[in-house]
């Protein structure tokens, strides 16, 4: 078993086990419509077994960064359809990552005046980029009322329907990196005293309900995945008990039979613990290069490997890994800048 062995993932047969990580690239317009450049960017990487798109907002309330895409307006859906057409034309598969930022937002990056929402009204420490005001502190979020949580869950369902209308093969729930679902999971950000806070059972509730809503909307669990990053401190996401929380989550979602659980390694060994706890397909990412990836697959530590920054810099990553060819280095200075530089101009092998 190696990166080039086919795999069944949910409803699909993938031609290899190389997965392109979800990566925000900030090339969309101010209304969250993906750039025409995204067609080439994703299309040129379509020989991945699976492409997971950049984090994409399910609603205006779920947006927090400049120039990130959404999946709630007809123009966004139409633009995404061009991306999925390009990937499918080359025989690829792609899932849309649904990302509700929760409190990781600034008003200058949003199209609505409402404050961001979160499990609790706790501002994230740190600053974020805005195009009009430079670096700014994160906004103070408003705690979601218990009665409005079903409508937020409903946004994930609608985003799933919209993604399928854009011909995505499936959707990934972004429950990592300190965004809304992660804010519910973590003790540092969730101080609720109702059914969505306190015990592990309560803190995982938002995620299990969002996932269930996405499965119902997709009409099949095999079109739905989830990403988690236990132990990751990004976006001020303090967590007292990550391992027990994520093991409980894995146990709770095992009966759903989703396409995959995607774990980003963050140094606490969660990928090993979750491999044992989760009976379904496991995707692991975080700092992989070719040799270690093949070794992890060979040893059964993962079913497929997720490549992030390496995929930014190498559109023909699958070919390069197959040939053992050298890899281009990613240029972090163009990760989030507008335009083709660092987006669609990395060289491919002759
Ligand atoms: C430019 C960039 C943008 C990213 N944006 C997202 C995102 O939108 N959603 C997400 O789940 N992870 C995001 N990540 C994290 C990656 O999906 C991946 O987990 C991480 O980069 C580790 O993999 P790597 O070491 O192979 O890069 C991003 C990473 C990079 C480099």
């Amino acid at each position: 078993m190696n990166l080039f062995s086919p795999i069944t993932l949910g409803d699909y047969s993938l031609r290899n086990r190389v997965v392109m990580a979800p990566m925000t690239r900030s090339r969309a317009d101010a209304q969250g419509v993906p750039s025409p450049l995204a067609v080439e960017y994703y299309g040129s990487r379509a020989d991945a077994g699976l492409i997971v798109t950049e984090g994409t907002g399910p609603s205006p309330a779920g947006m927090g960064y400049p120039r990130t895409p959404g999946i709630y307006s007809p123009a966004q859906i139409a633009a995404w359809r061009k991306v999925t057409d390009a990937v499918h034309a080359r025989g690829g598969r792609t899932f849309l990552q649904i990302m509700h930022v929760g409190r990781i937002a600034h008003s200058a990056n949003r199209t609505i005046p409402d404050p961001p929402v979160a499990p609790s009204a706790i501002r994230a420490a740190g600053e974020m980029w805005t195009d009009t005001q430079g670096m700014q502190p994160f906004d103070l979020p408003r705690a979601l009322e218990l009665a409005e949580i079903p409508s937020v869950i409903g946004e994930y369902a609608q985003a799933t329907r919209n993604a399928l209308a854009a011909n995505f093969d499936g959707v990934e729930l972004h429950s990592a990196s300190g965004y809304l679902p992660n804010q519910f999971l973590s003790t540092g950000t969730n101080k609720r005293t109702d059914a969505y806070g306190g015990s592990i059972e309560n803190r995982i509730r938002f995620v299990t309900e969002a996932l269930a809503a996405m499965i119902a909307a997709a009409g099949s669990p095999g079109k739905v995945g989830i990403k988690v990053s236990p132990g990751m401190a990004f976006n001020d996401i303090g967590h007292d008990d990550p391992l027990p929380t994520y093991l409980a989550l894995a146990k709770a979602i095992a009966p759903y039979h989703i396409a995959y659980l995607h774990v980003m390694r963050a140094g606490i060994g969660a990928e090993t613990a979750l491999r044992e706890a989760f009976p379904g397909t496991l995707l692991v990412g975080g700092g992989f290069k070719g040799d270690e990836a093949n070794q992890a697959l060979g040893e059964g530590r993962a079913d497929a490997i997720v490549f992030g920054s390496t995929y930014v810099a190498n559109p023909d990553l699958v070919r390069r890994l197959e040939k053992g060819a050298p890899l281009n280095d990613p240029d972090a200075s163009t990760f989030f800048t507008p335009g083709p530089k660092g987006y669609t101009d990395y060289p491919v092998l002759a």
Side-chain angles (χ1 to χ4, degrees):
M1 165 103 61
N2 64 22
L3 286 168
F4 314 106
S5 318
I7 180 176
T8 300
L9 179 135
D11 290 351
Y12 302 102
S13 303
L14 308 185
R15 50 194 173 187
N16 61 55
R17 292 166 190 248
V18 179
V19 177
M20 180 175 165
M23 282 180 290
T24 294
R25 301 303 314 276
S26 298
R27 264 75 175 181
D29 73 13
Q31 301 306 314
V33 177
S35 157
L37 289 173
V39 178
E40 185 185 340
Y41 170 72
Y42 286 113
S44 63
R45 288 161 175 78
D47 54 2
L50 177 69
I51 292 173
V52 185
T53 71
E54 63 209 273
T56 300
S59 62
M63 309 286 278
Y65 289 96
R67 291 170 277 108
T68 49
I71 188 73
Y72 51 85
S73 78
Q76 293 163 353
I77 295 168
W80 276 123
R81 199 175 289 131
K82 296 191 176 119
V83 171
T84 58
D85 282 350
V87 172
H88 292 151
R90 295 189 47 184
R93 294 286 186 194
T94 176
F95 278 32
L96 180 86
Q97 188 188 52
I98 304 179
M99 166 171 163
H100 189 309
V101 295
R103 67 178 189 157
I104 301 302
H106 188 273
S107 54
N109 294 334
R110 288 156 66 86
T111 55
I112 53 168
D114 320 42
V117 293
S120 301
I122 305 169
R123 189 196 303 267
E127 298 187 321
M128 79 187 309
W129 176 255
T130 70
D131 282 340
T132 51
Q133 301 167 31
M135 293 302 287
Q136 287 292 322
F138 293 108
D139 283 346
L140 177 66
R142 176 177 74 76
L144 281 164
E145 303 283 343
L146 181 61
E148 57 184 337
I149 291 181
S151 73
V152 180
I153 302 275
E155 291 176 7
Y156 284 95
Q158 186 59 47
T160 300
R161 286 189 284 274
N162 292 350
L164 295 186
N167 291 333
F168 277 99
D169 299 297
V171 284
E172 179 179 280
L173 173 59
H174 191 354
S175 191
S177 309
Y179 300 109
L180 184 65
N182 197 170
Q183 290 159 30
F184 273 93
L185 292 172
S186 290
T187 51
T189 40
N190 184 345
K191 305 291 183 191
R192 301 180 73 91
T193 53
D194 59 17
Y196 291 87
S199 66
I200 287 179
E201 186 190 358
N202 283 354
R203 277 184 280 120
I204 67 173
R205 191 179 314 279
F206 182 87
V207 176
T208 56
E209 289 183 353
L211 205 53
M214 288 164 64
I215 293 166
S220 164
K223 293 181 170 59
V224 179
I226 178 174
K227 180 178 182 185
V228 296
S229 56
M232 195 189 188
F234 188 56
N235 282 326
D236 190 30
I237 194 80
H239 203 146
D240 294 328
D241 57 356
L243 268 186
T245 302
Y246 286 90
L247 289 174
L249 178 63
K251 199 172 159 206
I253 66 174
Y256 293 7
H257 300 292
I258 55 174
Y260 63 82
L261 170 63
H262 168 185
V263 185
M264 186 191 149
R265 302 191 287 187
I268 64 165
E271 63 282 5
T272 310
L274 288 169
R275 181 56 155 176
E276 282 166 26
F278 186 71
T281 299
L282 189 76
L283 275 48
V284 180
F288 278 99
K289 296 275 187 278
D291 288 347
E292 195 205 351
N294 279 317
Q295 200 183 338
L297 292 173
E299 291 169 3
R301 288 188 271 133
D303 297 304
I305 302 295
V306 186
F307 295 88
S309 41
T310 301
Y311 232 131
V312 167
N314 296 277
D316 54 350
L317 180 62
V318 171
R319 227 177 123 220
R320 286 178 191 258
L321 292 172
E322 256 169 344
K323 288 175 164 287
L327 300 173
N328 302 319
D329 287 327
D331 171 10
S333 75
T334 53
F335 278 173
F336 307 113
T337 46
K341 190 167 184 301
Y343 192 52
T344 48
D345 62 353
Y346 281 102
V348 296
L349 293 175

